[in-house]
Amino acid sequence: DAGVIQSPRHEVTEMGQEVTLRCKPISGHDYLFWYRQTMMRGLELLIYFNNNVPIDDSGMPEDRFSAKMPNASFSTLKIQPSEPRDSAVYFCASSREGTAYNEQFFGPGTRLTVL
Amino acid sequence: QKEVEQNSGPLSVPEGAIASLNCTYSDRVSQSFFWYRQYSGKSPELIMSIYSNGDKEDGRFTAQLNKASQYVSLLIRDSQPSDSATYLCAVNRGYSTLTFGKGTMLLVSP
């Protein structure tokens, strides 16, 4: 089975530009999570969805960040306008409801650099 | 107090030794616990899950959980240079989300 797929793998953009990150969860998984990882703050949960519905977006740092999940196989995280402090690795993860452990599986990540 | 705490390391061990990685958590209602391995420049990879007190073994890896003391550990036997990575401890409180520690860097020298 294919794992979590993310695109692009690397993104370099200039301050003020719009950035869109994409994620395809593992087929059959009900939960989708967006994380951000930096050296200073570690791995932070930004937002998560259950059955395509956003459940908790309290980790989204500012209104410049938004996320959507139009169907079970696709989600986007958008930053508009981007700032240099948004530079980080963004991971998408998914899990399946009803499993004993709620294990999450991560995609390869998108390394974002905002100049 | 941080929710999930790990020593940042690096923890240096010689090849063939046992590496012991520790994690403490603050929320007593936490129900399940995970160890992820993350190589430099890569994504976290799930290597162990545990939710009952005691030990759980999988190959060279053993996870140990003590809910009364609120700690979980990971033992790596016969450590190999390929085990050199950052190990992230994650805790689930019965909801769908995980809280991650900042990770411990492990260095295994040949």
Side-chain angles (χ1 to χ4, degrees):
Chain A
D1 286 340
V4 177
I5 298 172
Q6 291 187 248
S7 65
R9 297 292 303 276
H10 301 273
E11 177 80 30
V12 180
T13 191
E14 293 188 348
M15 182 175 63
Q17 296 298 306
E18 176 181 302
V19 175
T20 300
L21 311 181
R22 298 172 176 80
C23 175
K24 175 180 170 56
I26 294 172
S27 178
H29 280 196
D30 310 278
Y31 287 89
L32 184 141
F33 306 84
W34 282 102
Y35 290 90
R36 178 173 67 177
Q37 187 176 42
T38 61
M39 289 292 292
M40 288 294 294
R41 301 174 69 90
L43 199 58
E44 301 175 282
L45 177 65
L46 300 177
I47 185 172
Y48 77 98
F49 296 82
N50 179 216
N51 292 323
N52 314 337
V53 176
I55 303 301
D56 185 355
D57 66 354
S58 60
M60 297 284 259
E62 299 173 33
D63 291 344
R64 298 184 296 106
F65 287 70
S66 62
K68 295 182 180 179
M69 192 166 185
N71 57 61
S73 59
F74 183 66
S75 177
T76 59
L77 178 67
K78 183 179 294 186
I79 308 173
Q80 180 184 23
S82 58
E83 297 183 3
R85 57 189 167 135
D86 301 331
S87 297
V89 181
Y90 291 81
F91 290 107
C92 176
S94 69
S95 68
R96 186 164 61 90
E97 190 167 13
T99 57
Y101 291 108
N102 292 319
E103 298 170 334
Q104 293 184 19
F105 298 90
F106 283 75
T110 296
R111 183 172 296 275
L112 174 65
T113 303
V114 183
L115 303 175
Chain B
Q1 182 182 8
K2 296 179 183 177
E3 292 188 49
V4 180
E5 293 204 56
Q6 297 181 254
N7 189 315
S8 62
L11 173 66
S12 296
V13 300
E15 183 175 358
I18 296 175
S20 177
L21 304 161
N22 300 311
C23 170
T24 59
Y25 58 95
S26 60
D27 194 338
R28 287 193 171 272
V29 303
S30 300
Q31 295 188 359
S32 50
F33 308 84
F34 307 84
W35 284 99
Y36 284 81
R37 178 177 61 199
Q38 187 174 24
Y39 292 114
S40 180
K42 301 296 185 182
S43 60
E45 174 192 9
L46 181 64
I47 56 172
M48 289 289 286
S49 308
I50 186 168
Y51 67 91
S52 298
N53 275 328
D55 295 359
K56 179 182 178 182
E57 186 174 318
D58 184 0
R60 295 186 297 111
F61 299 100
T62 298
Q64 299 175 318
L65 175 60
N66 184 322
K67 290 188 177 180
S69 300
Q70 295 177 243
Y71 83 78
V72 57
S73 62
L74 179 70
L75 301 179
I76 306 175
R77 291 181 298 281
D78 188 23
S79 295
Q80 301 297 310
S82 59
D83 295 325
S84 297
T86 295
Y87 290 79
L88 302 171
C89 173
V91 173
N92 177 287
R93 297 187 298 147
Y95 303 105
S96 306
T97 61
L98 298 179
T99 301
F100 284 84
K102 289 192 174 181
T104 298
M105 180 182 293
L106 173 65
L107 299 176
V108 181
S109 55

